[in-house]
Amino acid sequence: MDTRRLLLGDWSPVVRDGIDVLRLLLLGGALWYALAGDGGSAAVLAVMAAVTLAARAVNLPRVYDLSVTAAMVLQGFGEVWGLYDRFVRFDDLVHVTLPMLTAPVIYIALARLDVVPDPRQETHLRHYVGIAVVTAALGVTVGALWEIYEWRSDAWLGTNLSEGNDDTNGDLVRDSLGAVAGAVLLVVWARFGWGSVRRIPGVNTHEEVSA
């Protein structure tokens, strides 16, 4: 296996690249905790793994496939290993990185459904502005929905996820910063016309937009 194939993938139909290795870590972790009798941790990792498998199925570009997979690994193992409690700033890290990594992926998924322009299509300044606004809004929405979940989980399930208004507002600020960063990255991606599907080295240099 040469360096190009090692880095860009297409190792085999089952394990395509290093991103699939991260997926296997989530699946393996879910199985490990299930066998150990920790159903809660197993369920968290299984959900995270399911998200990454969905990303694989829609054939995202490698950068965004890695983004959503890394986000799920960070969220999943951060939860089951108690990193939120062990490291004060881990929550801050997650609230910035998750919207930054996932908002562009949601935009690309909507582009696949022809709801918004595909990043590969010829664009002008007003289109770049639209891509940025929609992507940032998606990231902020993800953060807001999570805060709603924390609020209701504390009330209905007796958890202690929300630590008050200051914590919630701080999380939303960090979510917004991450969403804006993700929007900027997607605009850069669109500016260079890199498309919304996974490239196979030497095969689909000018690939069709559909998966």
Side-chain angles (χ1 to χ4, degrees), residues 25-101:
L25 284 177
L26 286 169
L27 291 169
L31 179 60
W32 173 272
Y33 282 105
L35 294 175
D38 188 345
S41 295
V44 168
L45 293 179
V47 169
M48 300 299 110
V51 172
T52 67
L53 291 173
R56 188 185 195 276
V58 300
N59 217 30
L60 289 171
R62 284 183 179 85
V63 169
Y64 287 111
D65 191 14
L66 176 60
S67 293
V68 71
T69 303
M72 294 305 102
V73 168
L74 187 68
Q75 173 70 20
F77 285 106
E79 187 69 37
V80 301
W81 288 346
L83 299 183
Y84 289 93
D85 298 323
R86 293 170 59 187
F87 300 101
V88 176
R89 295 301 178 189
F90 186 80
D91 183 62
D92 297 345
L93 173 66
V94 170
H95 276 283
V96 172
T97 55
L98 255 67
M100 181 179 72
L101 297 175

Side-chain angles (χ1 to χ4, degrees), residues 1-12 15-18 21:
M1 182 183 298
D2 60 23
T3 302
R4 180 179 175 82
R5 188 177 179 191
L6 178 65
L7 295 176
L8 296 182
D10 295 305
W11 301 348
S12 73
V15 181
R16 300 186 308 188
D17 48 32
V21 174

Side-chain angles (χ1 to χ4, degrees), residues 75 141 208:
Q75 173 70 20
T141 300
E208 294 294 332

